């Protein structure tokens, strides 16, 4: 069972930037990504990356503002968040998948504990 540990969440002002990190105990999977859960809403996939081919996928709500990346040697995935808006306020979760397919609609069965991002 893989362990995923997120960090980097904080409170920032509208228009600010943050960088989230996710360290995985096992980075031999197929696909990793970030979901968010805003207050009172369901989990929503926002960015996904293929571990082996580096293919990236973004939700429309974050495309052009957020960048997902990875350092396989460090077993770490990142989410660079720019031009943050109050509506980005949410708990952000790191997720991992160990088989195909990879994409925003893939089902992820490995989840971290989450890190809170608040934009005001």
């Amino acid at each position: 069972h893989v362990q995923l540990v997120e960090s980097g969440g904080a409170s920032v002002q509208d228009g600010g930037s943050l960088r989230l990190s996710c360290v995985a105990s096992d980075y031999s999977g197929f696909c990793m990504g970030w979901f968010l859960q805003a207050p009172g809403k369901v989990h929503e996939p926002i960015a996904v990356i293929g571990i082996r081919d580096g293919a990236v996928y973004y939700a429309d709500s974050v495309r052009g503002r957020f960048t997902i990346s990875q350092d396989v040697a460090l077993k770490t995935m990142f989410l660079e968040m720019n031009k943050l808006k109050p509506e980005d306020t949410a708990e952000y979760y790191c997720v991992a998948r160990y088989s195909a397919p990879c994409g925003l609609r893939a089902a992820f069965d490995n989840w971290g504990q989450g890190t809170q991002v608040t934009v005001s």
Side-chain angles (χ1 to χ4, degrees):
H1 179 72
V2 64
Q3 288 187 322
L4 303 171
V5 180
E6 305 96 333
S7 62
S11 295
V12 297
Q13 291 187 337
D14 190 355
S17 298
L18 278 177
R19 188 191 200 199
L20 304 183
S21 299
C22 172
V23 178
S25 61
D26 178 3
Y27 214 88
S28 63
F30 191 81
C31 186
M32 292 189 67
W34 293 94
F35 276 59
L36 63 79
Q37 185 175 26
K41 297 188 177 180
V42 300
H43 291 101
E44 174 188 346
I46 57 169
V48 170
I49 186 166
I51 290 175
R52 301 170 192 179
D53 63 4
V56 296
Y57 310 84
Y58 293 103
D60 289 343
S61 60
V62 306
R63 186 177 292 111
R65 299 189 299 124
F66 292 8
T67 303
I68 189 171
S69 62
Q70 61 185 350
D71 187 323
V72 177
L74 294 178
K75 299 181 181 179
T76 303
M77 178 181 62
F78 304 98
L79 186 67
E80 189 75 34
M81 309 163 69
N82 297 311
K83 300 179 181 178
L84 283 161
K85 308 173 183 179
E87 50 262 46
D88 295 320
T89 294
E91 190 80 8
Y92 285 71
Y93 295 89
C94 171
V95 296
R97 179 180 171 89
Y98 282 73
S99 61
C102 189
L104 292 176
R105 296 185 177 184
F108 290 86
D109 51 1
N110 297 279
W111 290 67
Q113 293 299 306
T115 186
Q116 178 67 36
V117 172
T118 302
V119 185
S120 59

